[in-house]
Amino acid sequence: MDIRVPSRFLVLLGLLAAPPALAALGEAEPSVARDAQALSMDRQPPSVRAGLAVHELRSATATVREYLAPDGTVVAVAWSGAAPPDLGLLLGAYAGEYRAAAAAPRAGRGPRHVETGRLVVDTWGHARALHGRAYLPSRLPAGVNLDDLR
Amino acid sequence: MTSADARRLAPLLLSLAACGGGSSAPPAGQAGPPPNVLPVSVDGAGCSAGSYLNKPCVSVTVCEPRTSTCQTIGDLLLDTGSVGLRVFSQVLTLHLPPVSSGGGSLAECVGYLDGSAHWGPVVLASVALGSEPAVEIPVQVIDATYASPPAACQAAEASPAAAGFNGILGVGTFEQDCGPGCTVTSNGMYYACGAASCAPAAVALASQLQNPVAALPVDNNGLVIRLPGVAAAGASAVEGEVLLGIGTRSNNVPPGSAVALPLDASGEFRTTLGGATVTAFLDTGSNGLFFAAPPGAGLAACAAPDAAWYCPASTVTVDTSSSGATGGPAAAVPVQVGNFLALTAPASVNVCGLVAGPVGPASSFDWGLPFHLGRDVYLGLEGRRSSLGAGPLVAW
């Protein structure tokens, strides 16, 4: 859950093998392969969607997409499947503020829109098809259509 | 019991009493409603006091398998957007045997559309809907403190008070809550818990949470949600019913005018509005209609903290057309959306058909509880057939 503690260890690993960072929201130089392993998902070839490079991970029951700005920063992540992924991993340094904001009481049940000031998280769907996305509005390149971020 | 426990339980006991706990079905042979009728209360006597807007509640009788030790549990959310019976541990008085997995016990982490989740063991229970014969099926005990929850369930809902109900009766169109996707490990939902920890587990279809309707000996090909309509100004409560089975008895025969929409593998059909077609689903567990407003429709979100709802200056009509996942006949539904704040301002309004709100990207249409007011809605289960066709399907 806490991805800051092992980061020093990962930096060390990275020096030996791969780019030394986490594929989490707001992070640069993502190690998508490391995320795929942590989530037990298969990595797909990178593509372009919404004008951003997208790295897609798949399992039998879920898909995760990580959107990279031209500078290599993960500026959005989206997920869909039977179960929500470990958002502590995907949201990285933003996970805590999402959890705090999402814990605010609400009346009723429906899709959720959570804003923290620098992060937006949307969740929607139903059993076997749960969807969500998180993005950093101030770090999205101009011209990105938010409807494409999913 | 500690005093903290007592404080925690007190409201639950009150809510159980308020929901008719302890009542029992009429004996067989006695005149009464047909056995396939399950009463539904939207914010009425079947729900706990202070229930949220547009909350459909049912009551089911749960027994320890092959015993007469039973408990009637009320204030369960009737949810066509999920599958399986889930009950908070704080409400259960029964001792239900765990379902084993490998060398441990099966547990589940299930997520919902609002980002919330439920965690707890899977146990075997005898479940009776309406006056139908009881069926023995795996159900979930919702217990955030059980064993060691996985990361996705670390913030799982801890109590009926936090959730707003005692549990969920999921009667969507699937037979199991997860299906073939969970027969492999690392499915993100099922775990085998030993003394020390829980590990991802592959689960056979029969050990997954089952749709109680699919498990019935008869009336098992689907269900009908029948709720009365309410005036535009809303109502304090409405009472309706679920009819189990489609075309299996005189009370659940679809009219010839019903349009059946076949669903895809995700349980979805298609809805077109404002020239765009999006995936769509029925969900009595969503307490509004949720869709992205077509450009120029005049639907703006309410100001915070009510931005989950639309607040148009006056009631807006959005024309929609729905068809099956692979085309076919279309059903037109004009959707009326009123001003959420104005509609729900009177304290007496707990049920309202005109409330709607936005959804993340313009890619889906959540036909929640308001859609079901004043219209019979048919859900044909996957792998089952009825006069409406082969399931999974929805019809109205």
Side-chain angles (χ1 to χ4, degrees):
Chain A
M1 184 60 95
D2 186 344
I3 55 172
R4 279 184 216 163
V5 173
S7 67
R8 198 175 299 163
F9 173 62
L10 284 164
V11 166
L12 182 59
L13 265 187
L15 290 174
L16 301 173
L22 306 173
L25 203 57
E27 301 285 343
E29 295 290 327
S31 167
V32 176
R34 191 202 60 89
D35 249 15
Q37 186 178 7
L39 295 168
S40 301
M41 300 178 86
D42 296 325
R43 185 182 180 181
Q44 307 298 312
S47 59
V48 174
R49 185 184 171 116
L52 300 169
V54 55
H55 291 252
E56 183 169 308
L57 311 177
R58 284 189 203 156
S59 73
T61 51
T63 300
V64 168
R65 296 195 181 102
E66 305 193 13
Y67 292 86
L68 277 64
D71 69 356
T73 308
V74 179
V75 291
V77 293
W79 57 93
S80 63
D86 176 4
L87 293 185
L89 185 73
L90 289 183
L91 302 189
Y94 298 86
E97 65 189 72
Y98 167 63
R99 264 189 229 102
R106 73 203 181 293
R109 295 268 166 176
R112 195 97 194 267
H113 177 84
V114 172
E115 292 185 22
T116 70
R118 48 177 199 165
L119 170 74
V120 173
V121 179
D122 288 302
T123 54
W124 68 98
H126 57 94
R128 291 206 201 180
L130 292 169
H131 305 278
R133 68 172 181 187
Y135 60 93
L136 305 172
S138 68
R139 298 176 74 168
L140 288 180
V144 170
N145 181 352
L146 295 180
D147 284 338
D148 290 335
L149 295 181
R150 52 191 163 97
Chain B
M1 184 187 288
T2 66
S3 60
D5 285 337
R7 278 196 302 275
R8 196 157 43 95
L9 281 174
L12 301 170
L13 296 171
L14 286 173
S15 72
L16 270 179
C19 292
S23 69
S24 58
Q30 184 177 318
N36 68 329
V37 178
L38 177 65
V40 180
S41 176
V42 185
D43 291 275
C47 298
S48 56
S51 283
Y52 58 79
L53 182 75
N54 291 338
K55 179 184 146 193
C57 306
V58 294
S59 177
V60 302
T61 299
V62 180
C63 305
E64 294 176 10
R66 279 151 289 184
T67 73
S68 56
T69 306
C70 302
Q71 179 185 7
T72 297
I73 303 169
D75 198 29
L76 296 171
L77 180 70
L78 175 71
D79 186 17
T80 59
S82 73
V83 164
L85 176 63
R86 307 169 195 275
V87 180
F88 272 98
S89 60
Q90 295 95 329
V91 176
L92 269 182
T93 58
L94 304 172
H95 298 287
L96 300 170
V99 172
S100 61
S101 174
S105 295
L106 196 59
E108 189 180 21
C109 173
V110 59
Y112 299 98
L113 80 170
D114 55 3
S116 66
H118 288 150
W119 165 252
V122 178
V123 299
L124 202 57
S126 183
V127 176
L129 304 180
S131 304
E132 296 277 9
V135 294
E136 202 173 291
I137 52 172
V139 305
Q140 184 182 30
V141 177
I142 305 170
D143 181 359
T145 67
Y146 178 75
S148 43
C153 262
Q154 302 256 317
E157 284 181 332
S159 69
F165 42 66
N166 281 338
I168 298 177
L169 179 68
V171 290
T173 54
F174 296 113
E175 286 202 64
Q176 303 88 21
D177 67 338
C178 183
C182 285
T183 59
V184 299
T185 49
S186 295
N187 51 60
M189 290 182 78
Y190 282 102
Y191 295 82
C193 296
S197 62
C198 302
V203 186
L205 294 178
S207 294
Q208 298 180 14
L209 255 63
Q210 303 289 310
N211 188 327
V213 178
L216 292 171
V218 295
D219 302 322
N220 56 19
N221 61 345
L223 59 149
V224 191
I225 313 287
R226 177 173 292 167
L227 298 174
V230 300
S236 62
V238 301
E239 306 294 329
E241 55 199 15
V242 170
L243 304 166
L244 302 162
I246 295 175
T248 56
R249 298 177 190 268
S250 59
N251 64 2
N252 61 13
V253 178
S257 58
V259 177
L261 311 181
L263 306 178
D264 62 18
S266 296
E268 294 172 338
F269 55 99
R270 305 289 178 265
T271 293
T272 301
L273 70 166
T277 298
V278 298
T279 58
F281 56 95
L282 302 184
D283 181 13
T284 56
S286 289
N287 72 330
L289 305 180
F290 296 101
F291 59 95
L299 288 178
C302 310
D306 296 297
W309 301 97
Y310 286 129
C311 273
S314 58
T315 299
V316 165
T317 300
V318 178
D319 288 317
T320 74
S321 176
S322 294
S323 56
T326 55
V333 177
V335 172
Q336 286 200 299
V337 182
N339 184 300
F340 172 81
L341 289 177
L343 287 165
T344 59
S348 59
V349 171
N350 302 309
V351 186
C352 182
L354 272 53
V355 291
V359 66
S363 63
S364 80
F365 199 121
D366 179 342
W367 292 94
L369 194 279
F371 171 71
H372 300 74
L373 295 168
R375 125 184 329 116
D376 285 2
V377 177
Y378 295 78
L379 285 83
L381 302 193
E382 66 172 335
R384 310 296 169 92
R385 191 162 255 297
S386 71
S387 59
L388 292 168
L393 62 79
V394 294
W396 64 83

